[in-house]
Amino acid sequence: MQFFSILLIALLPVVKHKHVVIAHRGDHTVLPENTLAAYTRAIEDGVDYVEVDLRTFKDGRLYISHGELSALSDKVPSFEQVLSLCKKKVNIYLDFKDADPAIVYPLIKKAGMQKHIVVFCNTFEQLKDWHKVAPDMPLMTSVPDEVKDLNAFFDEYPVSAIDGSIGQYTPEMLAVCKKRNVAIWLDVQAKDEDPLRWQKALDTPVQGLQTDHPGALINYLKQNGDR
């Protein structure tokens, strides 16, 4: 059943670089992950996006954390704080862990950030919910390993971008993405993340990389004339 086939694909935020660099949980190899300090450091690095994990407390408050928390901490920023920090400085890759789009989207609009956020949906149900609440919001998701027909997948789930791992997509699948204007942002963050891994991903070719080492990756791109 095609849920979204009549909807147009939303445009991604405008960036000035050839390759999008996404700081996974901020620049968290030098500062605590998902903190305002880590995001600030990533902005100083010159990234195009900071990746932000959004969750909801039992009392309804939104907070930023990759994992669950039992209580609020001074180091745990609110979503509103992150929006304020990033405004006019950097785009947000919003990893939508556990929240309600009907609550989140008004906050995004109030902050004037609706053209500077991509929402990563972890489930197809989230895709449906976001399409209903904010059809103009660019969405992103993962392509299940068993999917081989990307045209059929995009017909059912029209998204602006997809993630993936190095080597996941065949030349035919890459051609489908290019034809349908769907960006591919590969996840290169890993214990063995290094220039060889970055170059292998860039040779795919893809439009962006999510990294644990944003400053080093940006320097690598600059050294190779790619930024």
Side-chain angles (χ1 to χ4, degrees), residues 1-171:
M1 186 164 89
Q2 294 185 348
F3 293 113
F4 318 126
S5 58
I6 62 173
L7 298 176
L8 297 176
I9 296 176
L11 296 176
L12 290 169
V14 176
V15 296
K16 60 182 180 181
H17 299 115
K18 177 182 177 181
H19 295 108
V20 168
V21 174
I22 304 153
H24 183 228
R25 307 179 198 169
D27 196 341
H28 76 273
T29 59
V30 293
L31 291 162
E33 67 179 36
N34 279 316
T35 60
L36 296 180
Y39 299 143
T40 298
R41 176 64 176 265
I43 292 170
E44 293 170 351
D45 291 334
V47 301
D48 302 288
Y49 286 81
V50 291
E51 188 255 1
V52 174
D53 296 304
L54 185 64
R55 294 185 180 275
T56 309
F57 267 112
K58 292 181 180 180
D59 64 4
R61 286 176 293 172
L62 297 170
Y63 68 97
I64 308 302
S65 177
H66 179 71
E68 298 290 345
L69 294 176
S70 58
L72 279 172
S73 164
D74 291 338
K75 294 183 179 180
V76 180
S78 69
F79 185 47
E80 291 92 334
Q81 286 177 307
V82 173
L83 289 170
S84 178
L85 174 70
C86 295
K87 187 174 183 179
K88 296 184 179 179
K89 297 177 184 175
V90 72
N91 298 309
I92 294 175
Y93 176 123
L94 188 63
D95 193 338
F96 207 68
K97 298 295 188 184
D98 180 18
D100 183 349
I103 294 174
V104 174
Y105 185 59
L107 296 176
I108 293 173
K109 288 188 66 177
K110 183 179 179 181
M113 285 288 286
Q114 60 267 39
K115 294 186 181 298
H116 301 282
I117 293 179
V118 175
V119 179
F120 182 89
C121 296
N122 287 279
T123 68
F124 296 140
E125 192 65 30
Q126 289 179 351
L127 281 174
K128 289 173 59 180
D129 292 342
W130 269 102
H131 272 299
K132 291 176 182 177
V133 171
D136 293 334
M137 180 63 70
L139 304 180
M140 181 176 178
T141 196
S142 297
V143 177
D145 290 338
E146 63 270 18
V147 171
K148 303 303 178 186
D149 186 347
L150 274 186
N151 272 311
F153 181 81
F154 292 146
D155 283 344
E156 183 148 359
Y157 305 108
V159 291
S160 303
I162 54 176
D163 70 347
S165 57
I166 297 172
Q168 179 175 347
Y169 300 114
T170 65

